[in-house]
Amino acid sequence: MSDYPFITLRVVLGPKTLLGSGKADLLAGIAETGSIAAASRRMGMSYKRAWYLIDTLNGYFKEPLVASAKGGRAGGGASLTDTGRLVLGLYRRVQENATEAAAAELHQLAALLAAASG
């Protein structure tokens, strides 16, 4: 089965408060690698941009989504908080639900594509 077409979502939680696939992928990368630097490299994103997005995400919610420890002898790292895991899981479920709800239309769109597009 093809990965295309698929839906990406931007959830507008409030004025200037957005949660989309990029932020969700960054959270997932941090959860998987335990590192902001590794997650940002994997996405082709600058470390500075990743930190900006994390700071933005942490400011959106009552509790931070990402906890980090500075490097040094013990080594640094980052991880999702319980709230971070919950937010990421909820976003992914919304995305899955939207994809399931639009499956027939996505299939029809795919059938209309020129052979070179797929």
Side-chain angles (χ1 to χ4, degrees), residues 20-90:
S21 60
K23 289 175 183 167
D25 290 347
L26 180 60
L27 290 174
I30 291 167
E32 292 166 13
T33 65
S35 165
I36 295 166
S40 64
R41 274 193 306 272
R42 197 163 85 169
M43 295 180 68
M45 176 188 298
S46 75
Y47 183 72
K48 182 178 178 179
R49 175 79 177 148
W51 257 113
Y52 169 77
L53 293 175
I54 291 164
D55 193 44
T56 300
L57 283 167
N58 281 346
Y60 284 168
F61 295 91
K62 292 178 183 177
E63 298 175 6
L65 306 188
V66 177
S68 62
K70 292 192 184 277
R73 242 185 215 171
S79 61
L80 298 188
T81 63
D82 289 343
T83 302
R85 285 188 294 279
L86 179 59
V87 166
L88 178 58
L90 289 169

Side-chain angles (χ1 to χ4, degrees), residues 1 4-6 99-100 102-113:
M1 183 169 123
Y4 294 99
F6 62 90
T99 299
E100 287 175 18
E105 291 82 1
L106 291 172
H107 182 70
Q108 287 177 315
L109 285 169
L112 295 171
L113 291 173

